[in-house]
Each structure stands twice: as C-alpha cells, then as structure tokens.
Amino acid sequence: MNDSGASVGDGDGTRAVRAGLPEPVKNEPTLPGPVFAAHFHLPGDVSGPYTYGRDENPTWNLLERAIGELEAPGQENVQTLTFASGVAATAAVLFSQAGAGDVVVLPEDGYQVLPLIRAQLEAYGIEVRTAPTGGDAQLDVLDGAKLLWLETPSNPGLDVCDIRRLTEAAHAQGALVAVDNTLATPLGQRPLELGADFAVASGTKQLTGHGDVLLGYVVGRDAEAMAAVRRWRKIVGAIPGPMEAWLAHRSIATLQLRVDRQCATALTVAEALRERPEVTGLRYPGLPNDPAHKVAAQQMRRYGSVVSFTLPTRARAERFLEALRLVDDATSFGGVRSTAERRGRWGGDPVPEGFIRLSVGAEDPEDLVADVLRALDESSE
C-alpha cells in the first residue's frame, strides 16, 4: 500500500502538485477528504488493508505515497510511514533498530530532544556515542555501531556532513544509516539517493509550511527494517490524525513554490547580515564562504530557509527580536511567516546567549531584509 516507486513527473513542482493523488474516478474528489474511522467493516476472516484505525488509514496512505514520491522518486520498494510528530518518527527508528548491547552514534550538535532520547537509549542498555556534524567527525566514533544517525544541516548550527562518505563507511561495517532531512526537505536533498537506509523528518516544519500541523515521517528502503519501524508505531500508537495527514498532503502541493521563495530570500538575508559588524558566527550553507558550502553543494539541491547568527549579548538579541515587525518571535521553522528566536532560552543547545535562529518565510525579500536591518539598527541603542 505504501510502496512509493511511481514517479509523477520530472520537475519538483510537478511532482509536488501531483504526489500521492489517487487514480481519477468520475464524480469523486481529486484529493479525498480525511477519513475519520477508528474501525472499519470487517465481516468474516481478517483481510484487506483497513481493519483498525491504529494500524492503517487511507488518508495516511495517500500522504505516505506523496512523501515517498518526493523523497525517493522512481525508487522501487521504498516504504513510507507517517507519525504524530517528528520526534515520534525519530524515536521509532532509533528504538526499533537498536537493542541492549548495541552502539548508536548520534550528532552532538543535533536537535535538542536528542539528549533526552540518548538518556532513554542508555537506560535500555544501548551505548551512545556522539561527535559533531561538521568535518564528518562521526566517522571517528563509528567502530562497531549498529546505527548511525546524521542530521544535516544540523539544527540550529547549520553544519553539514558528507552523507555519501559517512554512509559508505557505516555500511562497510554493517551499520544502518538514518538521516534527519527536516531542514533540507526532500526538495533540498534526498538521503536515500545518497545511500542512506532511512530518511526521517518532522513534517511540522517546511514540508507542511503553515505552522498548523504536527507530523513526522520515515522513508526506508529495507523491508525488514521498515517492518520493525511499523511495529514500533503500532506498539506506541504514535499515529497521525487524519485531519493532520490531509492538511499535510494539501500543503505539499505548494512545497516547491514555498521552498524556492524561502531559500532565495534566505540567501538574500544572509548576504545582508554578512555586512553587519555586530553579527558574528553567521551560517547559511548557501553562502559561498560558509564552512559547509563545499559539501552542501555536492549533495544539496536547495539550501533551506534557516539562517543562524550571533549578536553580542543576550540583551541585544532580545531587543532585536522585539524590534522585528515582520518576524514572529516563535520556535520551529520553515513556515510561510518568518520566525526567529534566541535559541539559548531553551537551554538544550550549545549556543551563545546571543544566538539567533531565523526562519525565512514567504514575505517579499525587500521587505524582510529592510525589517531585519532596521531591527538591528534599533536594537543597538
């Protein structure tokens, strides 16, 4: 049901608009509405795809097919599973693939929930090693690992690692590789094409793009590994709601339009910030002088909507955020409305007190750049 080998077109826009749609039936909607069902008619012996709402749902299945067509176009025997959140998808891969005595390698500069996941993995008797994303440093702690987890670009530091190089090294010693593809989106990079076993992401972010859906997904090529992920989803019940799945599928139709606008504007904002003396630690993989640009250019097709930088103090950063008019002070990223936050307020990221994560939305580039520069001017007082 969730195999995602069919390709609907060569262009990203065509693929996004058509992804996951059912075969046309006269007088039926082109995208059926959400199916709200806890149970289905099931006389006699158990058969067919839909039996109980925790196991399968036709609305999920259309979305899963759409995501698979974006993450792995034209690849046969690729399966996709959706989850209630990105963290649910992350946990499903890590806890379904590793057990007591195994070794898991995580990035030490990844998403701030990873330390919580690490503690739980260790409580289950799993050894966890960490290394930075930049410089492919995880290679140094890979020996004997069962699973390598990559996050590239990393959140919030925007470092990049070489997926193909790390995957080849991991596979050479029998380890599986999962790549968190949230910041890049499938239009930015396709981990499975670069050799990874799993592409995992939070659909809460740019995939859906409107800040109104919590969602996660896993795309994988190995049937046995994906069966374990599916079993984990069933055991913990980390399933998406039908309405969330339908909203996500609807939103994917504009993904290419949103991503292209946001990535282009993000580069424009980064170039403007580069000229400001109070800005340090500016990171955006699309900048030619960014430390990650060389590797990013080899594996990424678009560089994402997030720019990070540091202002001199916590107070300066807070004044800057307060002065912004077109940018909401909010967490998360990838939405059509720009957001920014002082990331250190959460306490889970190893960043300076004045570190800003700016998620570029779909506003007019000139307006957004003017707002950012004006806020920098006003916050200097």
Side-chain angles (χ1 to χ4, degrees):
M1 177 64 68
N2 300 331
D3 286 357
S4 306
S7 177
V8 297
D10 293 331
D12 286 336
T14 302
R15 186 175 290 113
V17 168
R18 305 295 305 177
L21 296 181
E23 290 297 319
V25 176
K26 185 176 181 179
N27 302 130
E28 294 293 324
T30 55
L31 177 61
V35 175
F36 299 102
H39 56 266
F40 300 82
H41 288 295
L42 194 65
D45 293 336
V46 176
S47 63
Y50 303 114
T51 59
Y52 186 63
R54 192 182 65 248
D55 297 329
E56 293 288 351
N57 177 287
T59 309
W60 307 347
N61 291 158
L62 290 177
L63 173 62
E64 289 166 347
R65 192 167 73 192
I67 292 171
E69 289 171 3
L70 296 177
E71 283 280 1
Q75 294 193 41
E76 300 295 332
N77 302 320
V78 169
Q79 297 181 39
T80 303
L81 295 170
T82 49
F83 289 80
S85 68
V87 170
T90 298
V93 172
L94 288 165
F95 290 106
S96 71
Q97 303 304 313
D102 289 333
V103 175
V104 169
V105 176
L106 301 177
E108 68 180 35
D109 52 348
Y111 182 49
Q112 65 166 328
V113 176
L114 286 180
L116 299 177
I117 293 177
R118 173 180 184 167
Q120 193 61 51
L121 288 168
E122 291 174 337
Y124 288 160
I126 299 168
E127 180 185 345
V128 179
R129 302 173 189 157
T130 63
T133 297
D136 299 340
Q138 287 169 283
L139 284 172
D140 296 334
V141 294
L142 192 55
D143 187 47
K146 176 71 176 297
L147 176 67
L148 169 64
W149 185 273
L150 306 178
E151 186 178 302
T152 179
S154 61
N155 174 27
L158 303 183
D159 260 327
V160 170
C161 61
D162 186 331
I163 296 174
R164 192 179 298 279
R165 180 188 182 202
L166 284 156
T167 296
E168 289 175 354
H171 286 170
Q173 54 180 284
L176 295 169
V177 179
V179 178
D180 185 330
N181 205 33
T182 303
L183 265 161
T185 82
L187 299 194
Q189 70 187 8
R190 296 178 185 144
L192 270 63
E193 289 185 356
L194 297 168
D197 301 287
F198 303 99
V200 187
S202 168
T204 307
K205 312 299 193 296
Q206 197 168 19
L207 186 85
T208 53
H210 293 80
D212 54 8
V213 170
L214 286 173
L215 191 83
Y217 67 81
V218 178
V219 184
R221 65 171 78 256
D222 183 88
E224 183 177 351
M226 287 300 290
V229 175
R230 182 186 297 274
R231 185 167 58 250
W232 178 268
R233 182 178 71 173
K234 180 173 182 174
I235 291 169
V236 300
I239 58 174
M243 189 65 187
E244 286 78 2
W246 184 85
L247 285 169
H249 198 169
R250 180 207 61 174
S251 298
I252 284 174
T254 61
L255 180 62
Q256 185 258 347
L257 299 174
R258 292 185 280 108
V259 167
D260 279 354
R261 174 62 171 263
Q262 290 170 270
C263 290
T265 305
L267 178 60
T268 300
V269 170
E271 289 171 340
L273 288 169
R274 190 170 53 184
E275 305 302 319
R276 299 292 299 215
E278 69 270 53
V279 169
T280 60
L282 175 66
R283 297 300 304 270
Y284 182 67
L287 284 171
N289 64 337
D290 187 273
H293 180 72
K294 182 178 179 180
V295 174
Q298 295 171 354
Q299 65 191 22
M300 299 185 72
R301 297 155 59 236
R302 296 170 175 87
Y303 297 107
S305 64
V306 177
V307 178
S308 68
F309 58 95
T310 300
L311 293 176
T313 64
R314 170 176 176 169
R316 176 70 188 277
E318 290 174 346
R319 291 198 304 271
F320 166 73
L321 292 169
E322 187 175 355
L324 291 166
R325 296 171 186 166
L326 296 179
V327 183
D328 295 332
D329 190 342
T331 194
S332 198
F333 56 86
V336 291
R337 291 175 292 280
S338 293
T339 60
E341 68 173 335
R342 192 183 65 80
R343 194 63 188 166
R345 66 182 175 174
W346 296 99
D349 297 306
V351 295
E353 285 294 310
F355 181 95
I356 300 291
R357 184 180 70 183
L358 172 63
S359 172
V360 174
E363 298 88 357
D364 287 308
E366 299 82 3
D367 293 339
L368 188 59
V369 169
D371 189 46
V372 168
L373 297 182
R374 179 196 50 76
L376 284 173
D377 290 338
E378 291 185 8
S379 64
S380 66
E381 300 174 359

